[in-house]
Every structure is written in C-alpha cells, then in structure tokens.
Amino acid sequence: MISVTLHAQKKWIGLSAAWDDAVNWSPAGPPQALDDVILDNTMYPASYIVHLPDALVTVHSIKASPAPGNTIQLILPVTNLKSPAMVLSSPTDALILQKGSVLVNASGISSGTSIQLNGLIRIENGGRYVHKSRSVHAGDIVAKLAAGAGTENGIFEFDVPGGAYPVSLSNRTYGKLLFSAEASGGSQTYNASGSSMVTIRGDLEIQAGVQLNLDVSKDVIVTGRLLQQGGVLNLASQANSNTFQLHGDLQQSPGGVITETGSGLPVLALSGQSGQRVSVAGSIEHEVTLLINNANGVVLDADLRLMYKLQFALGKLKSSAATLLVLGDTCKATGASRDSFVDGPVKKIGDTDFEFPVGKQHDYAPIGITGDSGNKTDEYIAEYFLADPRVRYGTAFEAPMIRVSSMEYWFLKKVHGGTAKKVQLTVGAYSGATALDKLVIAQWDEAAARWRNAGNSAWDGVTAGYVASNEIMPDGPFTVASTVAQQNPLPAINISLRADEKDNTVLLTWFLHGDAPAGLFQVEQSADGQVFNAIRVVAGEDFRREYQAVVRLPQRLKRYFRIHFADPTGNDLYSPLVAVYAEDHDFTCHVARSRLDLFLRLPGRQQVQVVIFDLAGKQVKSHDQPVEANGSHVFVDISGLVPGLYILNVKGRDRIIKVCLFAR
C-alpha cells in the first residue's frame, strides 16, 4: 500500500492586506493545513504587505518570492498572543524567504514559541527575517536555519522590544546577523553565552544603541565584515575568554566600542584569506588583544588606537601618516617577525621602554627606545625605510665614522615631551654588517647637514643583532655607520630596475651599482606589490653590471616586479618596485635613485606634462617638456620625494598617455 499526501498551492492575489481574507487568494479562501503558500508577483505585480491574523495559522509551507525590484513583507502582528501563532509542517524547506522578502515576527507573547517548524527556514541572499518579539527563538527558529549555498547573506535580524534579551549564538550558524535597538526605543542589550563555536557566514552588523554581550568559551567566526554603526560589542562580559575571528573588513562608526568588561581576555583576530581593511572611528578598549593573522595583510583606513595588546602572527599591518597606528601607554606589541610587522609609522605614547615593530618588504627591522626618564604623556612616531638615507638626507658625516649605511634608515620623531633616551637599531640580513662591535648609531643633524656619531653603548651579535646608542634626544633620522674600513660594507651597492612592455611581454633590465661578488638574482613578481613570488633566477658574474630577463604576462593586468640579489656572504638586496601598466610600445619608465627616466614616442611633436601624486592623491611634482615625434627622453628629478609609492600621470596634447606606479 502507498500513502500519498497531496498539497494544494495557494497564491496571493492581494485585494487587501489580510491573510484570512478569502478574496486575496487563488484558489479563493484562506490557506489550510496542507497548503503550500506562494507569495510572489505572478498575480499581483507590485510590492505588498501581508498581515497574519491574531489566530493560529497552520500550513504546509510558505515561500516568498518577489519579482526583481519588488518587496514582499509577511507580518506576524504584536496583537497575536498565540503560542504558537504559526505552524509550518513541511519536513524539508518549511519557510523560504527569497531576495526582497521579509518576515517580521512581532508576536506579542513574552515567552513561549511564536513560530513552530517541522522543517527548515531558508533565508536566501537578500531575504530577511526580523525577530521583533520577546518569544523564544532558539529551538524552532535559529536551530532550523538552513546553511546551504546561497544563504550566506540571508539576513537574520534581532530587533526585540523591552529590556535585556538572551540570544542563541553558541553552536549556531547564521548568514548575515544584525542587531538593532529600534523596537526598544533606541537602546537594547543582547546577551549570548555558551561553550560551542559561533559561525556567522556573512556580515555581523551592530547598530547604534545596541550592546551585545558575549560570554562564550569557543571561537566566534565572522566570515564577512564587522559593521558597527555605533553601539557596544562586549567580547567578554564574564569570565570566558574567546577568539573573535574576523575574515572581512572592520568598519566602526564614531561612538562604536569594542571592549571587555569581565575577567576574560578576548582576542580580536584579523584572520581573513584576502586582504582586510580596518577603519575604527570609535574605540577598542580595556583588555582586548588585536591579532594580525592574515598572510595577505591588513590596511588601516583610519587611525587605530590600541590600549592593551597588539599581537603579530602572520601578515603585514599597513599604516600611513594619515592612518596611524597608535599604541597607548600600557599597550604591548608582541610576536612581530619578518613575516608579520607594521609597514608604516607607529606612534607610541608613554615613558616605558618600547620596541617599535616596524619593517618593509621582507625586512623586519624594529627600533627601540630605552631609558628611565620621561612622562606617560610622551609621544614618539617611528618608521623604517628600506632605502638609501644618503640620497634622502646627505652624505657628510663626522669621525670616527667612515661610511654610513646605503641600504636602510629609521625615522624617529619626538611628537610631545621626551627626554634623553638610548636608541636601539636592529641589524639584520638587509643591513650588510659583518662586525657589530665596529658599528655606531648615526643621527642626522639637519642644522649641521651631517650625520652625527650617537655612539655604541651596547651591541649583541656578529653580523646580525642590535646596536644601541649613547643617551641622546631621540628625534630625527637614524641609521648605522661603520668605524673601520675592512668591516661593515653596509652595503655600498644598490640595484636600479626598469621595465619595458610590449605585446604582453616585459623586458626587465637591472643595473648593479657598486662592487659586489657574483651571486644570484631572483626576478620576483606580485599582483599587489606586497606578496612576491620568484619566477626566474639569473646567475650573476664578477664585474658584470647590467642584466636582463624577459617575462611573458598571461594577461594584460597590472604586475609588480623587483629584483632580489643574494650575494655569497649572505646579504640580501632588493631593487625598487616597478609596476607594469603599459600597453603601448611608445612608453618606458626607468626609476634610478634620484630621477625618473621616461622615454616617449608620440604621434607628432607635442608638449607633455608629467605629474606625480602620492597615494593620498596629493600632487607632489610637476614637469613640462616638449617631446619629438621620433621619441624623446624626459628626465624628472625625484630626489626630494620621501621613499614610498607614487602615481605617475603623463599627459599629452589631448589625453593621458600613460598612468603607472613607481617606488621611490
């Protein structure tokens, strides 16, 4: 014997907004227990709202499927005091909310179940469920959320009226999760506790007036963004510690707070699989650790102030003068290495000894300040530059120094207060040192236009380690200098690089300046200018200065190139970056230390303007020159530009001829 249950289909016609009005349905009559309800636009072509009655509604399933551009709202009103108020009996997808559809559960009961489901709730991307009721939601709603493909950005919103409300997060999987305080008059507290993992596959959004208190002992994983439009995200309101793993961007509006108020020590981990951006216009307070654990890096879009701890595991944290990393008086920075550090400036407030976790490219090169004097309001900013300080500042120096580094320097700026300190510089693989005991700290004296001897009060290591200065006023450019001729080349060589592109082929030409033993050159390529891969190895020869390599591009996309030179003594040198945008054979750009060498071949003789912008869009250089039809070189002096990335525009008679990126 075979038992078959037949389910009739009820479609919305929409002559009124009432669910229980028979004229609103086809076939006529309100839906019954075995009916599959379809709310779409096949018979009513516009947006509409359906109000459920104050009585119990029992159907087999409900599917809301608006046409593109329309919205369909199904509202369980606050006047409904039934428990349950709606029963859906389908064992599979009992409730389907597709893009543009919204179910608002405003049931007026203060306890008990408002919606009872046998099967699943499938909130598809662009669909929305709003829990606007104090009824329970854990067993028959949240536990029934489908987690298949296409539901990652289905929205589940809590907008509960009344006082503090417990939400079910532990051992749950949401799409996009949103917390609102609108129904409670602009202020609402949500509490979540548990010992199982929390998974949010879309964004987590916290709106103004919300306080979300977490007391969970397992990880909270947010695959999308953390969008904090004000409100408070309390990562540890009680004793439990957890790691809040954020894979997307962090966007916090003014007034937003990320904090902990219990005895737990939570970690906010930036652990995405692609680059993340952070904009904290509010604050991160109390004992919250920020962890950098993203191989593709993290970029600051606004100043970031930390009070407790910054921990490095993997990936660079990119800052700038306009988007500064600021560490408070009691804030610690731990775990930095050549794989994870700050690429850009760091501000430290306070009078305690501190090592700034700075570096560039693959060079982790912290700078430290030590000393007993000072005040908690003292402020210093430090940044490391993998570039020749003699080009940026000058070559004059005083005895007993016989040469200063041509590879690297640090800039340590005293912003506020400050007393005499010792400055400690890291000497590493990029430094080109052979005897640290024969090094001294060199400090640039702007007034005297020379490098001053800041001494060597302590050192550790032979070819790598650190060197500390005497007590000095820690302000200005610093580098290392050698006091003996036969040690510490520092090194006296560098590499220039040019790239010429034609028909998806790039000719890389590099020139070795200075004396160096034969070694290996690695041609390295990157899609973003941060993560590089070796694509070619070229053997160096004694006394040879110029080398070339041809690279075939798979498609016409932006690519960055650099040359990595490893000499037999173990020193590593890198050329400046060259970015290839060019598609025409009539344009080449050669960056050589203090000038740009552009070659242009244009249709007819014309005047061109070369304009250089920094990454903030500010014009920093302009140069006008006529160019002959058969080709001309245009030389632009860039000695006054600080090291970094710049945008180059070359404007012809009636169009921009070329836009490219270069590194100074």
Side-chain angles (χ1 to χ4, degrees):
M1 296 181 64
I2 300 175
S3 176
V4 177
T5 302
L6 298 179
H7 301 282
Q9 194 175 83
K10 287 280 188 176
K11 282 201 169 187
W12 183 259
I13 296 177
L15 298 179
S16 73
W19 172 283
D20 55 355
D21 190 339
V23 299
N24 287 325
W25 299 98
S26 177
Q32 301 302 310
L34 298 180
D35 289 342
D36 289 315
V37 174
I38 306 295
L39 303 176
D40 62 11
N41 294 120
T42 58
M43 296 184 179
Y44 189 89
S47 299
Y48 59 86
I49 299 175
V50 179
H51 291 275
L52 289 161
D54 290 342
L56 170 64
V57 169
T58 301
V59 295
H60 185 250
S61 68
I62 298 176
K63 179 180 180 180
S65 181
N70 288 340
T71 60
I72 296 174
Q73 293 188 56
L74 178 61
I75 298 177
L76 177 59
V78 66
T79 52
N80 190 312
L81 302 178
K82 298 294 183 180
S83 179
M86 184 166 62
V87 175
L88 305 179
S89 61
S90 172
T92 55
D93 288 333
L95 175 62
I96 300 175
L97 300 174
Q98 295 188 325
K99 183 178 181 180
S101 64
V102 183
L103 169 56
V104 179
N105 180 1
S107 165
I109 62 175
S110 59
S111 61
T113 299
S114 55
I115 298 177
Q116 182 178 306
L117 298 103
N118 186 33
L120 297 177
I121 302 177
R122 182 150 58 92
I123 308 174
E124 297 186 0
N125 295 341
R128 190 185 197 106
Y129 170 89
V130 182
H131 195 76
K132 214 164 188 173
S133 168
R134 295 194 65 84
S135 60
V136 298
H137 60 276
D140 267 294
I141 299 176
V142 174
K144 301 294 181 68
L145 287 175
T151 64
E152 299 86 351
N153 290 302
I155 302 171
F156 194 105
E157 178 180 354
F158 285 102
D159 186 18
V160 178
Y165 182 80
V167 294
S168 179
L169 298 186
S170 181
N171 199 32
R172 303 303 187 199
T173 298
Y174 290 85
K176 176 176 179 177
L177 182 58
L178 189 154
F179 289 92
S180 174
E182 180 181 346
S184 59
S187 179
Q188 180 59 284
T189 297
Y190 298 97
N191 300 310
S193 61
S195 58
S196 298
M197 184 178 297
V198 180
T199 302
I200 302 169
R201 296 175 302 136
D203 298 338
L204 171 60
E205 183 173 346
I206 298 172
Q207 296 188 346
V210 168
Q211 173 146 343
L212 175 58
N213 295 321
L214 301 180
D215 180 28
V216 294
S217 57
K218 296 292 185 181
D219 286 3
V220 177
I221 300 175
V222 178
T223 304
R225 301 168 297 173
L226 173 57
L227 306 174
Q228 193 174 6
Q229 314 298 332
V232 177
L233 173 58
N234 190 343
L235 296 178
S237 62
Q238 302 296 327
N240 281 321
S241 300
N242 65 78
T243 298
F244 187 98
Q245 293 193 35
L246 179 62
H247 295 176
D249 296 343
L250 169 54
Q251 299 175 13
Q252 185 192 70
S253 300
V257 177
I258 298 174
T259 187
E260 61 78 29
T261 58
S263 57
L265 296 175
V267 175
L268 173 57
L270 301 175
S271 53
Q273 301 302 309
S274 58
Q276 293 174 263
R277 307 192 75 89
V278 173
S279 179
V280 175
S283 61
I284 299 177
E285 299 179 354
H286 296 152
E287 295 181 339
V288 175
T289 296
L290 181 67
L291 172 65
I292 306 301
N293 191 24
N294 185 330
N296 293 297
V298 175
V299 177
L300 298 185
D301 287 332
D303 287 356
L304 175 62
R305 297 177 177 270
L306 300 176
M307 306 305 296
Y308 180 61
K309 185 186 294 185
L310 173 61
Q311 184 176 346
F312 293 91
L314 184 64
K316 314 298 191 301
L317 176 60
K318 178 66 176 177
S319 64
S320 69
T323 59
L324 195 61
L325 174 65
V326 182
L327 305 180
D329 176 46
T330 59
C331 187
K332 300 177 181 178
T334 64
S337 68
R338 69 184 303 272
D339 296 319
S340 190
F341 53 77
V342 179
D343 181 352
V346 178
K347 177 188 279 191
K348 183 65 173 72
I349 300 173
D351 59 347
T352 56
D353 295 352
F354 188 74
E355 185 174 80
F356 294 83
V358 293
K360 277 289 187 299
Q361 297 183 24
H362 290 292
D363 190 16
Y364 172 53
I367 177 175
I369 51 175
T370 61
D372 295 330
S373 59
N375 298 291
K376 290 186 176 181
T377 57
D378 291 350
E379 296 182 7
Y380 297 93
I381 297 177
E383 185 171 5
Y384 173 69
F385 297 93
L386 191 58
D388 189 344
R390 303 171 306 174
V391 174
R392 177 65 179 87
Y393 298 102
T395 58
F397 51 82
E398 64 183 20
M401 299 183 290
I402 64 166
R403 59 175 165 268
V404 297
S405 173
S406 65
M407 270 310 290
E408 61 187 349
Y409 68 94
W410 294 257
F411 195 91
L412 182 62
K413 180 181 180 181
K414 177 175 68 67
V415 179
H416 182 267
T419 55
K421 299 274 188 179
K422 291 184 179 181
V423 174
Q424 182 174 296
L425 302 183
T426 302
V427 180
Y430 287 69
S431 303
T434 57
L436 269 62
D437 61 321
K438 301 299 191 296
L439 289 178
V440 295
I441 303 294
Q443 181 180 17
W444 178 253
D445 186 333
E446 186 66 33
R450 68 176 56 245
W451 293 96
R452 297 291 191 186
N453 175 24
N456 181 341
S457 64
W459 55 273
D460 182 66
V462 179
T463 63
Y466 72 85
V467 177
S469 71
N470 299 326
E471 281 201 344
I472 56 172
M473 183 58 67
D475 192 20
F478 291 87
T479 190
V480 290
S482 183
T483 57
V484 292
Q486 63 272 28
Q487 296 285 354
N488 300 314
L490 297 180
I493 59 174
N494 55 62
I495 306 169
S496 60
L497 173 65
R498 60 182 283 177
D500 301 316
E501 189 270 351
K502 180 180 179 181
D503 298 331
N504 286 12
T505 299
V506 180
L507 174 63
L508 298 172
T509 304
W510 63 95
F511 194 86
L512 192 63
H513 303 269
D515 296 324
L520 293 178
F521 296 95
Q522 285 190 164
V523 179
E524 298 183 346
Q525 177 180 286
S526 171
D528 59 5
Q530 298 187 37
V531 179
F532 283 83
N533 297 311
I535 59 174
R536 189 75 52 81
V537 176
V538 177
E541 302 174 11
D542 288 329
F543 309 112
R544 183 178 173 184
R545 295 289 179 263
E546 186 173 341
Y547 297 84
Q548 289 185 325
V550 176
V551 179
R552 180 74 176 174
L553 295 180
Q555 50 185 320
R556 304 182 83 83
L557 296 175
K558 176 175 64 178
R559 289 291 185 269
Y560 299 86
F561 295 94
R562 71 181 182 191
I563 304 301
H564 173 199
F565 174 62
D567 72 34
T569 66
N571 293 321
D572 289 285
L573 299 177
Y574 287 86
S575 73
L577 306 187
V578 171
V580 177
Y581 288 79
E583 297 179 357
D584 304 322
H585 64 279
D586 57 5
F587 175 87
T588 63
C589 177
H590 178 205
V591 183
R593 306 185 77 178
S594 61
R595 76 175 187 180
L596 289 179
D597 179 3
L598 310 178
F599 181 78
L600 297 170
R601 184 184 297 113
L602 304 173
R605 188 180 192 275
Q606 58 179 285
Q607 188 82 3
V608 299
Q609 181 186 35
V610 178
V611 183
I612 299 173
F613 301 89
D614 62 20
L615 293 185
K618 179 182 177 182
Q619 180 176 319
V620 296
K621 193 80 175 180
S622 180
H623 176 83
D624 295 331
Q625 181 177 321
V627 173
E628 303 298 331
N630 61 348
S632 297
H633 283 274
V634 178
F635 299 102
V636 183
D637 180 15
I638 58 172
S639 60
L641 302 184
V642 299
L645 292 176
Y646 293 87
I647 300 169
L648 172 69
N649 284 5
V650 182
K651 299 181 179 180
R653 184 165 40 226
D654 56 3
R655 64 190 178 96
I656 295 179
I657 302 163
K658 193 57 56 182
V659 180
C660 70
L661 195 71
F662 73 95
R664 166 77 174 91

